[in-house]
PDB file of all heavy atoms in Angstrom:
ATOM      1  N   PRO A 202      18.334  11.182   3.345  1.00 92.00           N
ATOM      2  CA  PRO A 202      18.793  10.146   2.365  1.00 92.00           C
ATOM      3  C   PRO A 202      17.865   9.097   2.170  1.00 92.00           C
ATOM      4  O   PRO A 202      17.682   8.635   1.087  1.00 92.00           O
ATOM      5  CB  PRO A 202      20.235   9.671   2.836  1.00 92.00           C
ATOM      6  CG  PRO A 202      20.264  10.007   4.277  1.00 92.00           C
ATOM      7  CD  PRO A 202      19.409  11.208   4.578  1.00 92.00           C
ATOM      8  N   LEU A 203      17.155   8.666   3.317  1.00 92.00           N
ATOM      9  CA  LEU A 203      16.178   7.671   3.083  1.00 92.00           C
ATOM     10  C   LEU A 203      14.945   8.138   2.276  1.00 92.00           C
ATOM     11  O   LEU A 203      14.424   7.334   1.530  1.00 92.00           O
ATOM     12  CB  LEU A 203      15.644   7.283   4.486  1.00 92.00           C
ATOM     13  CG  LEU A 203      16.605   6.280   5.291  1.00 92.00           C
ATOM     14  CD1 LEU A 203      15.910   6.013   6.682  1.00 92.00           C
ATOM     15  CD2 LEU A 203      16.815   4.968   4.500  1.00 92.00           C
ATOM     16  N   ASN A 204      14.665   9.406   2.459  1.00 92.00           N
ATOM     17  CA  ASN A 204      13.557  10.007   1.643  1.00 92.00           C
ATOM     18  C   ASN A 204      13.937   9.934   0.099  1.00 92.00           C
ATOM     19  O   ASN A 204      13.125   9.642  -0.692  1.00 92.00           O
ATOM     20  CB  ASN A 204      13.303  11.500   2.069  1.00 92.00           C
ATOM     21  CG  ASN A 204      12.368  11.506   3.183  1.00 92.00           C
ATOM     22  OD1 ASN A 204      11.895  10.663   3.696  1.00 92.00           O
ATOM     23  ND2 ASN A 204      12.159  12.828   3.631  1.00 92.00           N
ATOM     24  N   ASP A 205      15.157  10.236  -0.310  1.00 91.00           N
ATOM     25  CA  ASP A 205      15.721  10.118  -1.542  1.00 91.00           C
ATOM     26  C   ASP A 205      15.508   8.736  -2.051  1.00 91.00           C
ATOM     27  O   ASP A 205      15.093   8.511  -3.234  1.00 91.00           O
ATOM     28  CB  ASP A 205      17.077  10.551  -1.639  1.00 91.00           C
ATOM     29  CG  ASP A 205      17.301  12.079  -1.359  1.00 91.00           C
ATOM     30  OD1 ASP A 205      16.338  12.799  -1.574  1.00 91.00           O
ATOM     31  OD2 ASP A 205      18.394  12.523  -1.072  1.00 91.00           O
ATOM     32  N   ILE A 206      16.000   7.708  -1.210  1.00 89.00           N
ATOM     33  CA  ILE A 206      15.925   6.371  -1.695  1.00 89.00           C
ATOM     34  C   ILE A 206      14.381   5.953  -1.874  1.00 89.00           C
ATOM     35  O   ILE A 206      14.144   5.188  -2.760  1.00 89.00           O
ATOM     36  CB  ILE A 206      16.547   5.524  -0.599  1.00 89.00           C
ATOM     37  CG1 ILE A 206      18.082   5.621  -0.447  1.00 89.00           C
ATOM     38  CG2 ILE A 206      16.258   3.929  -0.831  1.00 89.00           C
ATOM     39  CD1 ILE A 206      18.717   5.079   0.631  1.00 89.00           C
ATOM     40  N   TRP A 207      13.538   6.360  -0.960  1.00 90.00           N
ATOM     41  CA  TRP A 207      12.143   6.088  -1.054  1.00 90.00           C
ATOM     42  C   TRP A 207      11.491   6.569  -2.321  1.00 90.00           C
ATOM     43  O   TRP A 207      10.856   5.867  -3.040  1.00 90.00           O
ATOM     44  CB  TRP A 207      11.392   6.599   0.186  1.00 90.00           C
ATOM     45  CG  TRP A 207      10.306   5.837   0.739  1.00 90.00           C
ATOM     46  CD1 TRP A 207       9.464   5.111  -0.027  1.00 90.00           C
ATOM     47  CD2 TRP A 207       9.953   5.716   2.140  1.00 90.00           C
ATOM     48  NE1 TRP A 207       8.515   4.432   0.861  1.00 90.00           N
ATOM     49  CE2 TRP A 207       8.818   4.820   2.192  1.00 90.00           C
ATOM     50  CE3 TRP A 207      10.410   6.163   3.347  1.00 90.00           C
ATOM     51  CZ2 TRP A 207       8.321   4.440   3.371  1.00 90.00           C
ATOM     52  CZ3 TRP A 207       9.715   5.875   4.449  1.00 90.00           C
ATOM     53  CH2 TRP A 207       8.706   5.041   4.436  1.00 90.00           C
ATOM     54  N   PHE A 208      11.807   7.844  -2.658  1.00 89.00           N
ATOM     55  CA  PHE A 208      11.366   8.509  -3.854  1.00 89.00           C
ATOM     56  C   PHE A 208      11.845   7.734  -5.068  1.00 89.00           C
ATOM     57  O   PHE A 208      11.023   7.370  -5.974  1.00 89.00           O
ATOM     58  CB  PHE A 208      11.697   9.880  -4.033  1.00 89.00           C
ATOM     59  CG  PHE A 208      11.371  10.621  -5.262  1.00 89.00           C
ATOM     60  CD1 PHE A 208      10.060  10.933  -5.326  1.00 89.00           C
ATOM     61  CD2 PHE A 208      12.160  10.590  -6.303  1.00 89.00           C
ATOM     62  CE1 PHE A 208       9.616  11.617  -6.533  1.00 89.00           C
ATOM     63  CE2 PHE A 208      11.755  11.250  -7.500  1.00 89.00           C
ATOM     64  CZ  PHE A 208      10.529  11.779  -7.592  1.00 89.00           C
ATOM     65  N   GLU A 209      13.165   7.424  -5.142  1.00 88.00           N
ATOM     66  CA  GLU A 209      13.694   6.707  -6.345  1.00 88.00           C
ATOM     67  C   GLU A 209      13.094   5.267  -6.439  1.00 88.00           C
ATOM     68  O   GLU A 209      13.051   4.830  -7.643  1.00 88.00           O
ATOM     69  CB  GLU A 209      15.312   6.734  -6.115  1.00 88.00           C
ATOM     70  CG  GLU A 209      15.931   8.108  -6.235  1.00 88.00           C
ATOM     71  CD  GLU A 209      15.779   8.655  -7.763  1.00 88.00           C
ATOM     72  OE1 GLU A 209      15.618   7.894  -8.643  1.00 88.00           O
ATOM     73  OE2 GLU A 209      15.738  10.006  -7.793  1.00 88.00           O
TER      74      GLU A 209
END
Side-chain angles (χ1 to χ4, degrees):
L203 282 178
N204 276 0
D205 291 338
I206 294 170
W207 216 324
F208 177 84
E209 290 298 332

